[in-house]
């Protein structure tokens, strides 16, 4: 009997091998032993002219038929799935189902950890949710080097102001994302360093400055085998990025050796620039379409198709169909906990005197000041914004840590105490001025302040609006031997801190994501040692580097920005 079973197993194995062999002979591109680029070329050679052209443009954006942010039709005949792109650099943005995905710490926030394993965990956590939403491209990470402190998208970019930091950390983010059968997208290539007039400004940068200051994060992405890149809205040296032969073809594809593909930013295609280095128009087909592409040489079309397919073979999209749908709810307690850990690792302690931190957990009389403690802003705005299902307020995290019943300011009860441990928590939305001297009611004030920014515009200044700077100054003047003042600030990048001398401790968590409450509370009470470090410089005043208008936002009403500072911006200037 056993012999019969063994024999039949052997026969099955032989049959399976024969089938696999014949498959690989009939479909060599399905041979996983081959290099992804060779597999891509083998498959491209099976495609008709129309099928090839049909891969070089988008079919729609967030419509019923095409629900993702970017969509390319499938080719069922060849088992090529539809390409499903979605924003953004800090998680899956689902406008139709807000709350069905995790709002992760932003790119700059993750970078503040300066920990490669944190960037890997960030990429993996995000990539997993893109996969579970059925997507096969994440439109991130954002990697532009922070040249302008007020740039509205600095919060999304994991380089901070240093090309080498970006070069290193981008690799772990991309490895994390692409480990989840999702192609990553390094953006925005290149010199999208301001939002002012982003769709028309010419960023005028010499070759050496490009290669030594702005290209390195993209080089790091190439070394991590990133599958795709996104060319930007702006011009570089008076030529639009998505039709710029110098930056796309010469620099990126030839000199840096990028063998993935370049998609345009949404609406950033200005011509049928396939021979200048653009491989795919997004989100539609104004220039790249069946008719127009007939005017281009076949080798150029073939090369773009191979570039697109290479990344999809490399991460496994072509070998394992993804059955998931965009309508899935993919966030979870586990995902939230990973996001919390990343926020904890990215929290920066900028000041701590008079042993103010860590706070004690008994006999603590604390006043929590500022709306940011109750309804916190945890992410920046624009295409990369992810709206979380729920954000636990830091005020509740502090109550939980101290064993005090949660205060809900909307009920009017603003102070509660524990009968067990001598702890009391009071909430002050910042509108009530502090007392002249510390009363006996509390021995520490924790101030929460925030400012944010968004894609599409630069910040008007580096200050905190809505009277936050003022009340922080006021609280800083409260004196009292045992009274301490601790400040927590959430920002999209650099800020001015004129009230710093009045604070005993200052913590920074950038755009910390949905798990901010428990993350910052663990740092405040010493459960976590704050180990984050600044990825960009906080200046002492507006435009401390004295950039002329010609440098930023640029002459001709922000249409012509010249990088005459070369290397000397951020810490290199100081
Ligand atoms: C936007 C952004 C880009 C985003 C794309 C799709 O304009 O610049 O980062 O991925 O369009 O929303």
């Amino acid at each position: 009997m056993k012999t019969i079973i063994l024999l039949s197993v052997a026969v099955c194995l032989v049959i399976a091998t024969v089938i696999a062999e014949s498959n690989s002979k009939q479909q060599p591109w399905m041979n996983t032993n081959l290099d992804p680029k060779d597999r891509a070329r083998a498959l491209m050679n099976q495609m008709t002219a129309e099928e090839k052209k049909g891969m070089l443009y988008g079919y729609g954006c967030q419509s019923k038929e095409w629900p993702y942010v970017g969509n390319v039709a499938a080719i069922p005949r060849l088992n090529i799935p539809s390409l499903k792109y979605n924003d953004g650099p800090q998680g899956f943005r689902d406008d139709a189902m807000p709350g069905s995905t995790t709002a992760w710490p932003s790119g700059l926030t993750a970078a503040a950890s300066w920990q490669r394993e944190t960037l890997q965990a960030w990429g993996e956590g995000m990539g997993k949710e893109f996969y579970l939403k059925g997507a096969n491209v994440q439109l991130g990470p954002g990697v532009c080097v922070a040249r302008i402190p007020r740039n509205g998208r600095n919060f999304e970019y994991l380089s901070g102001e240093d090309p080498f930091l970006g070069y290193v950390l981008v690799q772990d983010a991309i490895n994390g994302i692409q480990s989840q059968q999702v192609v990553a997208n390094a953006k925005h290539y290149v010199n999208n360093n301001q939002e002012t007039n982003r769709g028309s400004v010419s960023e005028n940068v010499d070759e050496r400055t490009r290669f030594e200051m702005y290209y390195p994060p993209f080089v790091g992405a190439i070394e991590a085998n990133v599958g795709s890149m996104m060319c930007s809205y702006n011009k570089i040296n008076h030529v639009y990025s998505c039709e710029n032969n110098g930056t796309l073809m010469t620099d990126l594809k030839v000199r840096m050796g990028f063998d993935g593909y370049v998609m345009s930013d949404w609406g950033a295609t200005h011509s049928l620039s396939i021979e200048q280095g653009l491989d795919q128009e997004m989100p539609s087909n104004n220039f790249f379409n069946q008719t127009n592409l007939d005017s281009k040489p076949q080798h150029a079309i073939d090369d773009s198709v191979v570039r697109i397919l290479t990344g999809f073979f490399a991460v496994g999209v072509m070998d394992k169909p993804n059955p998931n749908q965009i309508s899935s709810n993919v966030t979870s307690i586990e995902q939230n906990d990973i996001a919390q850990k990343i926020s904890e690792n990215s929290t920066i302690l900028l000041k701590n005197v008079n042993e103010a931190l860590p706070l004690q957990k008994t006999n603590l009389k604390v006043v929590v000041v500022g709306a940011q403690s109750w309804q916190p802003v945890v992410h920046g705005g624009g295409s990369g914004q992810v709206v979380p299902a729920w954000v636990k307020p830091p005020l509740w995290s502090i109550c939980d840590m101290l064993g005090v019943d949660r205060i809900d300011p909307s009920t009017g009860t603003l102070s509660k105490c524990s009968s067990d441990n001598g702890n009391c928590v009071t909430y002050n939305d910042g509108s009530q001025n502090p007392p002249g001297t510390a009363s006996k009611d509390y021995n520490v004030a924790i101030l929460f302040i925030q400012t944010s920014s968004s894609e599409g515009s630069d910040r008007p200044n580096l200050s905190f609006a809505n009277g936050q700077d003022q009340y922080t100054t006021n609280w800083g003047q409260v004196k009292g031997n045992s009274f301490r003042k601790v400040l927590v600030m959430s920002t999209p990048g650099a800020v001015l801190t004129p009230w710093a001398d009045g604070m005993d401790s200052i913590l920074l968590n950038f755009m910390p994501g949905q798990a901010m409450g428990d993350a910052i509370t663990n740092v405040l009470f010493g459960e976590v040692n704050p180990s984050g470090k600044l990825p960009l410089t906080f200046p002492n005043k507006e435009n401390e580097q004295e950039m002329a208008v010609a440098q930023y936002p640029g002459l001709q009403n922000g249409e012509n920005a010249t990088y005459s500072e070369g290397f000397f911006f951020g810490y290199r200037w100081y």
Side-chain angles (χ1 to χ4, degrees):
M1 183 59 180
K2 191 182 287 186
T3 311
I4 293 171
I5 291 170
L6 283 174
L7 270 175
S8 48
V9 166
V11 168
C12 290
L13 281 174
V14 168
I15 291 169
T17 306
V18 168
I19 290 171
E21 295 239 318
S22 67
N23 273 349
S24 66
K25 283 200 174 54
Q26 287 163 9
Q27 299 185 337
W29 58 89
M30 293 314 286
N31 178 348
T32 56
N33 298 319
L34 291 178
D35 178 88
K37 195 174 203 176
D38 294 335
R39 298 179 68 185
R41 184 164 300 286
L43 178 53
M44 181 276 295
N45 286 326
Q46 300 298 316
M47 294 165 69
T48 66
E50 286 68 27
E51 288 168 340
K52 293 175 185 175
K53 291 186 287 181
M55 193 162 270
L56 305 189
Y57 50 82
Y59 289 66
C61 172
Q62 292 183 305
S63 65
K64 188 165 175 44
E65 184 186 9
W66 305 106
Y68 296 88
V69 167
N71 302 270
V72 176
I75 305 176
R77 180 178 75 85
L78 294 170
N79 295 324
I80 298 175
S82 59
L83 309 188
K84 302 169 179 175
Y85 304 178
N86 219 84
D87 288 317
Q90 32 273 336
F92 189 105
R93 186 185 94 237
D94 189 335
D95 298 335
M97 286 178 67
S100 62
T101 59
T102 304
W104 295 85
S106 75
L108 183 69
T109 310
S113 68
W114 290 61
Q115 295 169 345
R116 301 194 62 169
E117 61 275 18
T118 295
L119 274 293
Q120 170 94 20
W122 182 65
E124 276 176 16
M126 294 191 294
K128 179 180 178 182
E129 294 190 12
F130 277 76
Y131 178 79
L132 292 174
K133 277 282 192 182
N136 43 39
V137 176
Q138 173 174 355
L139 298 173
V143 303
C144 300
V145 172
R147 170 185 183 245
I148 303 298
R150 290 175 18 206
N151 174 25
R153 295 189 85 168
N154 280 342
F155 72 92
E156 294 193 87
Y157 298 149
L158 57 69
S159 300
E161 70 190 18
D162 187 74
F164 184 69
L165 183 68
Y167 165 82
V168 173
L169 297 184
V170 71
Q171 299 184 48
D172 303 291
I174 285 168
N175 288 333
I177 293 169
Q178 299 195 151
S179 71
Q180 302 301 308
Q181 204 176 304
V182 172
V183 172
N185 176 258
K187 69 185 189 180
H188 306 86
Y189 184 83
V190 67
N191 290 118
N192 184 178
N193 297 113
Q194 66 187 62
E195 289 299 290
T196 303
N197 296 331
R198 68 170 180 168
S200 55
V201 64
S202 177
E203 307 278 22
N204 307 319
V205 203
D206 64 275
E207 182 180 58
R208 183 181 176 197
T209 302
R210 291 202 311 276
F211 270 91
E212 296 198 26
M213 287 294 117
Y214 297 101
Y215 286 166
F218 294 95
V219 172
I222 292 168
E223 291 184 9
N225 295 313
V226 70
S228 70
M229 291 204 188
M230 184 186 290
C231 52
S232 53
Y233 285 117
N234 56 284
K235 298 169 188 165
I236 300 103
N237 300 327
H238 310 290
V239 178
Y240 277 113
S241 173
C242 294
E243 57 185 21
N244 193 313
N245 191 69
T247 53
L248 279 181
M249 191 59 86
T250 307
D251 290 352
L252 181 67
K253 292 186 173 181
V254 175
R255 296 166 80 178
M256 289 183 245
F258 179 51
D259 61 9
Y261 73 104
V262 178
M263 67 176 78
S264 73
D265 201 335
W266 270 228
T269 304
H270 292 271
S271 61
L272 183 53
S273 48
I274 187 168
E275 292 173 282
Q276 286 71 40
L278 179 61
D279 298 298
Q280 190 181 67
E281 175 180 358
M282 275 291 145
S284 52
N285 60 356
N286 300 319
F287 299 93
F288 284 54
N289 55 51
Q290 291 286 338
T291 306
N292 292 351
L293 283 164
D294 282 340
S295 67
K296 291 300 176 184
Q298 191 60 47
H299 70 81
I301 292 169
D302 291 354
D303 179 62
S304 294
V305 170
V306 169
R307 286 173 174 273
I308 292 169
L309 291 173
T310 297
F312 289 94
F313 275 113
V315 305
V317 168
M318 310 302 281
D319 298 318
K320 288 171 285 183
N322 180 344
N324 297 302
Q325 302 299 317
I326 195 168
S327 54
S328 314
N329 184 327
V330 299
T331 189
S332 65
I333 296 292
E334 294 75 22
Q335 292 287 90
N336 181 77
D337 291 349
I338 297 167
Q340 177 180 321
K341 189 76 191 135
I342 292 165
S343 180
E344 289 171 351
N345 293 345
S346 303
T347 300
I348 302 168
L349 179 66
L350 292 173
K351 178 180 181 182
N352 190 35
V353 298
N354 303 324
E355 295 179 351
L357 291 179
L359 298 174
Q360 67 206 52
K361 297 175 188 170
T362 55
N363 300 314
L364 188 73
K365 309 282 186 287
V366 57
V367 56
V368 179
V369 182
Q372 177 66 0
S373 70
W374 169 235
Q375 293 169 313
V377 170
V378 298
H379 50 68
S383 61
Q385 176 174 331
V386 177
V387 177
W390 179 64
V391 179
K392 180 177 178 183
L395 175 63
W396 282 10
S397 300
I398 291 167
C399 289
D400 293 353
M401 178 66 76
L402 293 176
V404 170
D405 288 347
R406 291 176 172 182
I407 292 171
D408 177 348
S410 62
T411 65
T413 303
L414 302 181
S415 193
K416 288 189 179 180
C417 294
S418 159
S419 53
D420 304 331
N421 54 32
N423 292 330
C424 285
V425 180
T426 302
Y427 172 70
N428 170 333
D429 69 3
S431 61
Q432 294 87 25
N433 276 333
T437 55
S439 66
K440 294 287 172 280
D441 297 346
Y442 39 79
N443 49 28
V444 61
I446 307 176
L447 284 74
F448 285 82
I449 62 175
Q450 65 81 21
T451 185
S452 189
S453 70
S454 177
E455 169 182 349
S457 63
D458 292 331
R459 294 159 65 190
N461 55 53
L462 301 180
S463 299
F464 292 85
N466 307 322
Q468 295 179 100
D469 273 328
Q470 190 50 58
Y471 74 61
T472 301
T473 301
N474 297 344
W475 278 92
Q477 289 157 1
V478 177
K479 301 300 176 205
N481 292 338
S482 67
F483 182 71
R484 296 287 174 261
K485 291 143 295 182
V486 175
L487 180 118
V488 176
M489 57 182 176
S490 301
T491 79
V495 289
L496 300 181
T497 55
W499 29 256
D501 289 346
M503 294 294 119
D504 294 298
S505 302
I506 300 174
L507 287 167
L508 165 68
N509 60 4
F510 283 127
M511 291 282 99
Q514 67 180 53
M516 173 227 189
D518 284 345
I520 198 67
T521 300
N522 282 341
V523 172
L524 287 165
F525 288 89
E527 300 295 312
V528 167
N529 176 32
S531 58
K533 303 164 193 69
L534 284 177
L536 41 69
T537 302
F538 278 30
N540 298 300
K541 61 181 181 180
E542 295 287 355
N543 193 19
E544 185 166 39
Q545 303 179 21
E546 297 174 346
M547 277 196 177
V549 169
Q551 293 168 276
Y552 173 76
L555 296 176
Q556 289 90 42
N557 195 24
E559 295 295 334
N560 232 331
T562 299
Y563 290 37
S564 53
E565 77 281 356
F567 300 177
F568 302 106
F569 63 96
Y571 70 84
R572 288 171 297 275
W573 179 85
Y574 288 92

